[in-house]
Amino acid sequence: MSITIINDPELAWQERALCAQTGPEFFFPDPGSSTREAKRLCGICEERVACLEYALAKDERFGVWGGLSEKERLSLRRRQG
């Protein structure tokens, strides 16, 4: 197992996020699979807001970021317009 050290202070939240301690299968499920577990972890993660802000700024199109699915982030972007 390798550990990646993030030197960018703007990305340091990634090391503290709960998703860094779990497998990617929760956050990048197969099409049609549930995102419930990922959203549950996001809901208790102290880095949820930073994660969502990152995903919106980088236009992440896949997976659960900051507790929102792809469709939910797209909807949020459209409402923020």
Side-chain angles (χ1 to χ4, degrees), residues 39 42 52 56 63-73 76:
K39 290 179 178 185
C42 291
L52 180 57
L56 293 172
V64 174
W65 291 80
L68 299 181
S69 68
E70 301 97 338
K71 289 179 183 180
E72 292 166 330
R73 288 192 309 278
L76 179 62

Side-chain angles (χ1 to χ4, degrees), residues 25-35 62-63 70-71:
E25 64 276 0
F26 287 129
F27 301 93
F28 297 94
D30 292 329
S33 296
S34 176
T35 58
F62 302 100
E70 301 97 338
K71 289 179 183 180

Side-chain angles (χ1 to χ4, degrees), residues 47-58:
E47 302 302 328
R48 186 184 64 76
V49 172
C51 179
L52 180 57
E53 288 173 351
Y54 173 85
L56 293 172
K58 300 295 183 182

